[in-house]
């Protein structure tokens, strides 16, 4: 009987893991993806939608078209995971049995956690939010724009920085830059979480007249007075407020008693197994790992999970570990970008922003649909990835 | 030592920057005035980040103890 593998979530990680598992295990496995909408979003594109540079249609495709023919797609929500019984209960009443479970459930945007955020601010972390922001920006004729982060961790740490750079350029092109102020409200004492990258981008922010308010952890928005307040006791007035909402893990993770207080899955940083669960793996935004929540992270984790499940199914020693590898582009506007490549052991050393990396990001955006979900991206040089199974893997290879 | 008065303890050892500071900020957000929050951090950046944030946010550092492999901060939520 083939091994039953259920993947919860049809985002970048879940889709790639399912395709790789089906390819590697062939008839030895029956792979099923469960996704509540059956539609796959290319989330890095939301930024372009918000700024009127891309159409939302480009960012969404039917998940079925991205999966190998032999992978089954179930369009339904997961409401409860029973790890001991090896089942997942579905929203419409059915349930699925599994031998191996991959949790690629992503993150949940918690707009309602910050009083006044829904009524008083705009965002670009969902397609709907990005489209609303685009309309608001069209009406904008000048004033003070504040861009802030209302909780850490959040997806794609460089995105708010990219947004302020691209917004500044957008206002300039429309001839309203002189009448506008752009300020980034950062919860930290630098532009964003990654220190080395902050050092590279902050001088460019200064050069472009983009303000930076540090240690501003958003606590409340007053939509009538147009004032945002911080936990640190500061208040800032705005004409247009753009906030990244707090993020949590999915409800099904919390309801199943698998997550921490915020619903993130306690995950082994090398094997990607959920704590104390040999046959349950987690990836992407859903984990509690101390690395960026981003599509890139899931992209590099998926082959590790597929390989490890294939080893378990075949009874061979696991050959790969996840070393914390992430690679992401950071747009700085004016047709320039830099790149952040890092892992658990090696912090990023981003180059000065240039046209090459801007072009690389555009090329990646265009190639995504035909390459990433199917595992067609060629492997890039990487840092040595170490883990507790190295010795094990070495022995197996000998 | 102020261990007896600690109302919440956060073991952030092994957590890279900005994890320890963000865990502290989360505890302050959820806590009540007078809470004594202990943070254990092995991240070097915490030695500057945590005092800098406490100064801006108007809370109080009660104690900083350097242990062999980590630092122990005790913070009082003042407002």
């Amino acid at each position: 009987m083939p091994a039953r593998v259920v993947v919860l979530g049809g985002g970048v990680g879940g889709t790639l893991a399912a395709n790789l598992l089906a390819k590697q295990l062939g008839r030895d496995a029956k792979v099923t993806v469960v996704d509540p909408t059956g539609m796959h979003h290319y989330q890095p594109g939301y930024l372009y939608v918000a700024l009127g540079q891309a159409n939302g249609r480009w960012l969404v495709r039917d998940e079925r078209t991205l999966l190998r023919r032999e992978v089954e797609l179930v369009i339904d929500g997961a409401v409860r995971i029973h790890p001991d019984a090896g089942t997942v209960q579905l929203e419409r009443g059915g349930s699925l049995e599994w031998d191996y479970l991959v949790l690629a459930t992503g993150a949940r945007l918690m707009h309602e956690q910050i009083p006044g955020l829904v009524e008083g601010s705009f965002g670009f972390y969902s397609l709907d939010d990005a489209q609303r922001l685009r309309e608001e920006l069209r009406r904008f004729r000048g004033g003070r724009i504040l861009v802030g982060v209302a909780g850490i961790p959040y997806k794609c740490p460089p995105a708010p920085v990219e947004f302020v750079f691209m917004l500044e350029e957008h206002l300039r092109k429309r001839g309203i830059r002189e009448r506008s102020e752009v300020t980034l409200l950062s919860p930290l004492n630098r532009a964003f979480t990654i220190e080395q990258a902050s050092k590279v981008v902050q001088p460019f922010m200064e050069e472009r007249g983009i303000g930076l308010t540090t240690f501003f952890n958003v606590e409340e928005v007053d939509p009538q007075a147009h004032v945002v307040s911080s936990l640190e006791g500061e208040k800032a007035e705005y004409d247009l407020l753009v906030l990244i909402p707090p993020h949590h893990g999915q409800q099904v993770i919390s309801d199943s008693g698998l997550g921490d207080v915020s619903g993130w899955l306690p995950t082994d940083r090398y094997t990607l197994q959920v704590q104390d669960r040999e046959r349950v793996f987690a990836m992407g935004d859903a984990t509690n790992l101390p690395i960026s929540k981003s599509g890139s992270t899931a992209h590099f984790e998926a082959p590790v999970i597929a390989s490890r499940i294939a080893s378990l199914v075949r009874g061979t020693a696991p050959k790969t570990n996840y070393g914390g590898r992430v690679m992401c582009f950071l747009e700085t506007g004016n047709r320039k970008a830099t790149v952040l490549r890092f892992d658990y052991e090696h912090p990023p050393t981003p180059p000065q922003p240039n046209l090459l990396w801007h072009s690389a990001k555009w090329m990646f955006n265009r190639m995504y649909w035909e390459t990433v979900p199917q595992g067609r991206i060629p492997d890039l040089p990487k840092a040595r990835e170490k883990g507790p199974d190295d010795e094990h893997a070495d022995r197996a290879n000998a | 030592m102020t261990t007896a008065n600690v109302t919440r303890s956060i073991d952030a050892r092994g957590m890279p920057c900005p994890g320890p500071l963000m865990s502290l900020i989360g505890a302050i957000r959820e806590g009540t005035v007078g809470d004594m929050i202990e943070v254990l951090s092995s991240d070097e950046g915490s030695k500057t980040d945590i005092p800098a944030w406490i100064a801006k946010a108007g809370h109080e550092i009660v104690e900083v103890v350097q242990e062999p492999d980590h630092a122990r901060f005790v913070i009082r939520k003042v407002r």
Side-chain angles (χ1 to χ4, degrees), chain A residues 340-360:
Chain A
L340 311 177
R341 284 175 288 190
F342 52 100
D343 60 33
Y344 291 140
E345 312 290 336
H346 305 87
T349 49
Q352 286 298 303
N354 58 44
L355 176 64
L356 174 77
W357 288 113
H358 169 76
S359 308

Side-chain angles (χ1 to χ4, degrees), chain A residues 114 150-152 187-190 193 195 213-219 230-234 269 290, chain B residues 14-18 21-22 25-26 28-30 48-50 52-54 56-59 77 79:
Chain A
I114 302 287
I152 285 182
L188 303 171
N189 57 352
R190 53 180 178 267
T193 50
E195 191 173 4
T213 303
T214 56
F215 283 148
F216 195 105
N217 283 276
V218 174
E219 187 168 57
S230 77
L231 186 66
E232 291 80 6
E234 279 186 291
R269 59 198 268 145
Chain B
M15 209 185 261
C17 177
L21 173 62
M22 293 319 294
I25 292 174
I28 293 274
R29 207 186 265 278
E30 291 159 11
T48 49
D49 285 3
I50 289 180
W53 185 76
I54 291 297
K56 175 152 182 186
H59 300 290
K77 181 176 161 94
R79 51 176 199 85

Side-chain angles (χ1 to χ4, degrees), chain A residues 137-158:
Chain A
L137 273 173
R138 272 190 193 145
R139 288 190 286 268
F140 187 77
R141 295 286 177 266
R144 177 181 285 178
I145 306 181
L146 302 180
V147 179
V149 176
I152 285 182
Y154 62 96
K155 289 189 270 192
C156 193

